[in-house]
Amino acid sequence: AELSVVIARNARALRAAGQLRQVDVATRAGISRTQLSVIEGGGRLVSIEDVLALCRGLGVGIRDLVVGADPGDLELLGL
């Protein structure tokens, strides 16, 4: 799957697992709830800034957000 879709899926799952509301994650991430919703919906490509914000908001590392990504993509990212 496209990396943005993988990140969106994992962000939703991690938020649900932590029983966190979008508004709480967005506040901790320093982004709007609407922006988080768009990212989680896979509606656009995510930037590295988005990834950092998600990590901050969810309290996870980048590896947690890219679980299930194409191994070739992960290798290119040094993961």
Side-chain angles (χ1 to χ4, degrees), residues 11-74:
R12 284 191 311 270
L14 289 163
R15 185 172 58 77
Q19 298 180 344
L20 300 167
R21 298 178 306 160
Q22 278 187 334
V23 67
D24 298 324
V25 172
T27 299
R28 292 193 327 210
I31 60 176
S32 71
R33 191 209 57 79
T34 301
Q35 187 177 358
L36 178 61
S37 179
V38 170
I39 293 168
E40 284 189 349
R44 67 174 177 84
L45 295 176
V46 295
S47 68
I48 192 66
E49 288 84 7
D50 293 332
V51 172
L52 290 171
L54 286 172
C55 289
R56 193 170 35 252
L58 292 165
V60 300
I62 190 171
R63 290 179 192 269
D64 297 315
L65 289 176
V66 297
V67 168
D70 179 89
D73 290 345
L74 295 177

